[in-house]
Amino acid sequence: MGTSHLNEGNLEAKAINAVIEELQRQAAENPSKLQVRQAGDKLAVHGEIDVDAVVMVVVGSLAGGP
């Protein structure tokens, strides 16, 4: 289950992309509390994560939201 499927448009790819984008958004919003590094299909995350926000964007992406 890597990010190599991101261009296929399947549900898994949408969920993966939503998680990565949301974590990067949270890190950009508060870099002193969260750091995110992506290397290929791996993600390194260190810090506090707003899990409710992650779940909301994943559900939204699967439901066809923005």
Side-chain angles (χ1 to χ4, degrees), residues 46-66:
H46 183 266
E48 297 178 12
I49 296 170
D50 181 350
V51 176
D52 288 340
V54 174
V55 170
M56 186 171 59
V57 297
V58 169
V59 170
S61 74
L62 298 178

Side-chain angles (χ1 to χ4, degrees), residues 13-51:
K14 288 180 181 181
I16 290 168
N17 194 42
V19 168
I20 291 170
E21 287 180 1
E22 176 59 19
L23 291 176
Q24 290 173 335
R25 184 198 67 76
Q26 288 184 29
E29 188 175 281
N30 201 341
S32 66
K33 288 191 174 188
L34 181 63
Q35 297 83 44
V36 177
R37 287 181 299 131
Q38 186 172 2
D41 64 349
K42 303 294 181 190
L43 202 61
V45 180
H46 183 266
E48 297 178 12
I49 296 170
D50 181 350
V51 176

